[in-house]
């Protein structure tokens, strides 16, 4: 195999990982407490960069997304709902809803690549 082709075959996967590491994702969340919707924030998050949304003293969310493969991201979150923290880490398939329930608190997350 010619050296140029070998170099291209080695560089392509590295390029794809680099592109995924800098991708933007749209994260739609819904927060519930005792079955009642408390908030439904949406945000655009850059891969491997923290993003935060806060609403008065009702809730605040900090998210970080790490590309796992072409169809999944790892979501690490800190969610304070009425002063009670949750710190989930989820492996999320793009475009599919994911739900985490702890006691009477529930968080739903859908992640898509941003346009």
């Amino acid at each position: 195999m010619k050296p140029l082709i070998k170099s291209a075959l080695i560089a392509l996967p590295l390029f794809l990982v680099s592109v995924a590491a800098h991708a933007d994702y749209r994260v739609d969340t819904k927060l519930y407490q005792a079955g009642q919707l408390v908030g439904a924030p949406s945000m655009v998050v850059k891969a491997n960069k923290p993003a935060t949304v806060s609403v008065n003293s009702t809730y605040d969310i900090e998210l970080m997304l790490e590309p796992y493969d072409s169809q999944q991201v790892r979501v690490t979150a800190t969610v304070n709902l009425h002063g009670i923290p949750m710190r989930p880490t989820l492996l999320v398939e793009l475009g599919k809803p994911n739900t985490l329930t702890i006691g009477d608190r529930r968080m739903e997350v859908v992640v898509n690549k941003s346009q």
Side-chain angles (χ1 to χ4, degrees):
M1 193 178 287
K2 295 181 180 178
L4 183 59
I5 294 173
K6 284 183 184 177
S7 296
L9 291 176
I10 292 170
L12 183 60
L14 296 174
F15 172 75
L16 294 175
V17 168
S18 176
V19 168
H22 298 291
D24 289 346
Y25 297 91
R26 178 181 169 93
V27 181
D28 297 305
T29 59
K30 290 182 182 177
L31 299 172
Y32 297 87
Q33 185 164 20
Q36 299 296 312
L37 180 65
V38 174
S42 294
M43 62 183 103
V44 175
V45 178
K46 288 196 175 297
N48 302 308
K49 302 281 184 190
T52 304
V53 64
S54 182
V55 174
N56 300 325
S57 60
T58 307
Y59 65 84
D60 59 72
I61 302 171
E62 181 176 316
L63 296 173
M64 185 164 327
L65 276 62
E66 176 186 350
Y68 183 76
D69 62 26
S70 66
Q71 294 299 312
Q72 297 178 329
V73 293
R74 182 183 326 273
V75 178
T76 303
T78 299
V79 180
N80 287 301
L81 182 56
H82 297 289
I84 302 168
M86 296 189 297
R87 292 182 180 87
T89 298
L90 306 166
L91 188 58
V92 174
E93 188 171 346
L94 297 176
K96 304 263 173 115
N98 292 267
T99 302
L100 174 71
T101 303
I102 299 174
D104 70 343
R105 297 172 291 151
R106 185 172 83 227
M107 179 176 82
E108 295 178 4
V109 178
V110 178
V111 179
N112 287 292
K113 287 188 179 174
S114 185
Q115 299 298 330

